[in-house]
Each structure stands twice: as structure tokens, then as C-alpha cells.
Amino acid sequence: MLERDIEKVLVTKEQIQEKTKELGQQIARDYEGKNPLVIGILKGAIPFMADLVREMDIHLEMDFMDVSSYGEALVSSGEVKIVKDLDTNVAGRDILIVEDIIDSGRTLRYLVDLFKYRQAKSVKIVTLLDKPEGRVVDMDVDYFGYIVPNEFVVGFGLDYKEDYRHLPYIGVLKPEIYESKD
Ligand SMILES: O=P(O)(O)OC[C@H]1O[C@H](OP(=O)(O)OP(=O)(O)O)[C@H](O)[C@@H]1O
Ligand SMILES: [Mg+2]
């Protein structure tokens, strides 16, 4: 059914599972004994974060923050807004931000600066996808799963107009989908 809307698959379900396991185990080794605060950025990070933390056999805490710069648009507005803040004080904590994608870099630039301002002890980023050609601000990630080309992608947390987040793989939509949803 949903597959009919997809022009091509860029990262399969199996590739995501394999990479998530690898990343989770690597991060767990790096954070052993640190009790990191793992922060998921709503809503896109949910599927990846749920799988990632289950590969991390260490003590950790989870919290969530909702920031938005896209709304229903395909291109970032440039202005990042806090929709829901953390429940946890980040001062003195080792922070790991979990994202589904880094594209323009604006969301993560804003969050890293915010957590540093709030006196986090360290701030690192893990993202399932990196789209380096989308970058408009300088931003590097510490851990990433797959590099994607400069196309609008959906699935595994990534939406088009709030749909397709629940696809178990990463793909590109057929052009007629954009016309029909306008
Ligand atoms: O690097 P950037 O250009 O800032 O883009 C990446 C951000 O955009 C998406 O979130 P969005 O704001 O669409 O919210 P959502 O996760 O609820 O879809 C994605 O989940 C990242 O948080
Ligand atoms: Mg979105």
C-alpha cells in the first residue's frame, strides 16, 4: 500500500537495524559509567531512538524536546522554535542528542548552543541520516548512520506533511504525491 507512493528506497530496514546496533554498541562503550542524558528531538527521532537505546547496555536517562523549523514546508524556515522543553536540568550532564536527520544544520546548531549555554558538561550528536549537501550552517556530527543525497526523504521518523514517519525504511516519494497532497 504505502510502498506504491515510494519512488526509490535509499536505506533498507535491514541496513537501519544493522547500523543502529553498531552505533548503539559504540556509543555505549564511549559513555560507560557516565550516565548520559539521551535527548530525543520530537517527533522525527522517536523510531531511531527507541531502537538505539535498546542497543545500549549502560545506565542512561532519556528526555525529549520538541523544536520546529519546518512545519509543513519542505525547506527549513531558518527560525527554530521550542515547542516543548526538557523536564531535566542539563547542567553538569553528558548530553547525547538523538536525531533522525541533519540537513541545514539549524536545528542541531541551535540545540548544541542551547545546552552549552545551560552548562552541560559535554554535548554530542547521533543522527541516523546526514545530508551534507543541505548544510547552511557549520555543524558536524559525532555519530551518524547513513549519508543521503540532497533530496527530500521520508520514513523511519521523517515525514512529509506528518505522514510516512512509520515507514520502516528511508525512501523518496513519487513526484505525484507532492501534487496530490498540496
Ligand atoms: O538540519 P535541519 O535543516 O534543521 O533539519 C533537521 C530537522 O528537521 C526535522 O524536524 P522537523 O522540524 O521537521 O520536526 P519533526 O521531527 O517533528 O518532523 C528533523 O527531524 C530534524 O529535527
Ligand atoms: Mg518534519
Side-chain angles (χ1 to χ4, degrees), residues 2 6 16 41-48 51 66-73 99-101 128 152-171 173 181:
L2 281 174
I6 301 296
I16 295 173
I41 309 307
L42 299 171
K43 302 168 193 158
I46 287 291
F48 177 51
D51 289 349
D66 191 359
V67 293
S68 209
S69 65
Y70 280 81
E72 293 202 335
E99 267 288 27
D100 51 351
I101 192 166
L128 176 62
F152 193 80
V153 295
V154 295
F156 226 86
L158 291 139
D159 69 302
Y160 172 57
K161 295 198 171 172
E162 296 301 327
D163 199 357
Y164 304 102
R165 290 191 200 276
H166 55 308
L167 283 179
Y169 52 84
I170 301 293
L173 289 170
K181 286 216 174 214

Side-chain angles (χ1 to χ4, degrees), residues 72-74 160-161 164 173-182:
E72 293 202 335
L74 292 179
Y160 172 57
K161 295 198 171 172
Y164 304 102
L173 289 170
K174 289 181 179 162
E176 58 262 34
I177 301 300
Y178 299 112
E179 288 142 35
S180 70
K181 286 216 174 214
D182 268 349

Side-chain angles (χ1 to χ4, degrees), residues 102 104-106 108-110 112 125 135 137-141:
I102 173 166
S104 72
R106 284 188 177 116
L108 280 168
R109 176 80 274 153
Y110 174 83
V112 168
I125 296 160
R135 217 66 105 247
V137 297
D138 190 33
M139 192 69 226
D140 286 333
V141 295

